[in-house]
Amino acid sequence: MYQTLSTTLNDNILVITINRPDKMNALNRQVMAELGLVVDEVYGDHNIKAAIITGAGDKAFVAGADISEFLELSPKQGEELAKSGHVVFHRIENSTKPIIAAVNGFALGGGCELAMACHFRIASENAKFGQPEVNLGLIPGYGGTQRLTQLIGRGKATELMMTGDMITAADALSWGLVNHVVTAEELLPKAIALLQKILSKAPLAIARVVKCVNAALDKNQDGFETEVKEFAACFATKDLQEGASAFIQKRKPNFIGE
Ligand code: COA
């Protein structure tokens, strides 16, 4: 179905693998279009309850936007490219189903931006992160200037974007860019285990966590107001009745997402 992605669905978790290993899984127009389609699939398919984004091969998660497509672009086309990337990455960020990045190698430029659009990131020990666009006379254009600043703070983000330096998985962990670092073999099992834990919780509550966290970073929203609204809405759900009853009855809850 996809030319540049491969997908596998097991236990309601869709593993999305960006599959251009000979080009370090660089995000060309086709990958971006197919990422948009697969995100639509995550949103629309009831059998998919969570997703993992990773890269094919053992060298790269994604080594950036495809540089070979940059030479002929006008400013207008650059604007369109950035805007269309923003649409896809915002949809990942706003997905009510958890989407996490399993970073298995270079996550550079658009690759780092893709990982940052996911709800959180785990990395293999050989992962490397960076925004090297200044080496090309460019800046990040898929949300990187904003999300990197939010995730690691202004000083570190500015240094990374000004120097174009790469950081190791260990640095990314200590800077808060990734949540866990594991061996390459443990990467997907760890991502799956985390998602299985999340999928055992109340799905509507998980969706509301996404909404409130994103509201905290949205200048046009009062995140505290959003929290009050979303907290209140929980009381209309069967899952809150189930969760609270199960706690009192000292049994495991069985959430149905209603
Ligand atoms: N866009 C297009 N092609 C890319 C690419 C990108 N972002 N990143 C890697 N490739 C291609 C290379 O051109 C090469 O293709 P070729 O075999 O047809 O020549 C292939 O992927 C392998 O890359 P190579 O550079 O030979 O591998 P390496 O192990 O020596 O270096 C990187 C790996 C990731 C450090 C290096 O490829 C790199 O710096 N890539 C660009 C990163 C970047 O600037 N990203 C931001 C883009 S905005």
Side-chain angles (χ1 to χ4, degrees):
M1 180 179 171
Y2 300 109
Q3 306 299 312
T4 63
L5 308 177
S6 61
T7 57
T8 53
L9 181 63
N10 277 314
D11 298 330
N12 305 114
I13 298 173
L14 187 73
V15 178
I16 302 163
T17 305
I18 298 169
N19 196 11
R20 296 182 74 210
D22 54 325
K23 295 289 178 193
M24 300 276 168
N25 304 321
L27 302 175
N28 63 8
R29 283 180 186 280
Q30 192 176 7
V31 179
M32 290 303 286
E34 293 189 352
L35 264 178
L37 293 175
V38 82
V39 173
D40 287 345
E41 218 189 308
V42 173
Y43 270 57
D45 185 337
H46 294 300
N47 291 317
I48 301 173
K49 296 196 180 348
I52 297 168
I53 300 181
T54 193
D58 53 10
K59 287 188 87 175
F61 171 72
V62 167
D66 193 317
I67 298 167
S68 67
E69 292 182 345
F70 284 168
L71 279 171
E72 306 298 329
L73 292 190
S74 66
K76 182 78 195 136
Q77 289 166 317
E79 180 182 336
E80 282 159 10
L81 184 73
K83 280 187 170 164
S84 63
H86 283 199
V87 169
V88 177
F89 285 15
H90 277 307
R91 276 174 71 70
I92 293 173
E93 186 169 55
N94 290 314
S95 166
T96 55
K97 302 174 183 178
I99 302 180
I100 67 176
V103 180
N104 58 313
F106 291 111
L108 303 176
C112 190
E113 292 173 294
L114 172 61
M116 292 192 294
C118 294
H119 294 137
F120 59 88
R121 291 139 291 288
I122 63 175
S124 59
E125 290 161 340
N126 68 328
K128 293 240 164 56
F129 296 81
Q131 298 289 163
E133 288 87 348
V134 285
N135 294 328
L136 307 168
L138 257 184
I139 64 168
Y142 289 160
T145 59
Q146 305 303 295
R147 292 195 180 95
L148 191 63
T149 306
Q150 289 161 352
L151 276 163
I152 67 174
R154 179 178 173 177
K156 287 193 166 73
T158 306
E159 182 185 333
L160 265 193
M161 287 186 279
M162 283 184 167
T163 60
D165 280 350
M166 285 188 223
I167 60 167
T168 62
D171 284 338
L173 181 65
S174 73
W175 292 10
L177 186 52
V178 303
N179 292 10
H180 305 275
V181 176
V182 295
T183 63
E185 297 70 41
E186 284 170 326
L187 185 65
L188 276 185
K190 175 77 182 175
I192 289 166
L194 278 164
L195 286 176
Q196 281 171 339
K197 180 184 270 191
I198 293 167
L199 293 183
S200 73
K201 315 297 176 189
L204 294 174
I206 297 299
R208 293 196 163 101
V209 168
V210 171
K211 223 172 168 183
C212 291
V213 170
N214 289 345
L217 303 171
D218 181 346
K219 293 181 194 81
N220 298 318
Q221 283 191 63
D222 179 341
F224 287 97
E225 277 297 321
T226 305
E227 183 184 277
V228 169
K229 221 171 97 227
E230 296 301 322
F231 176 80
C234 295
F235 291 91
T237 65
K238 290 182 182 156
D239 279 348
L240 182 131
Q241 295 301 318
E242 167 64 9
S245 309
F247 177 80
I248 289 160
Q249 293 160 12
K250 299 189 188 305
R251 62 174 174 83
K252 266 192 154 181
N254 179 23
F255 294 118
I256 55 170
E258 289 176 22

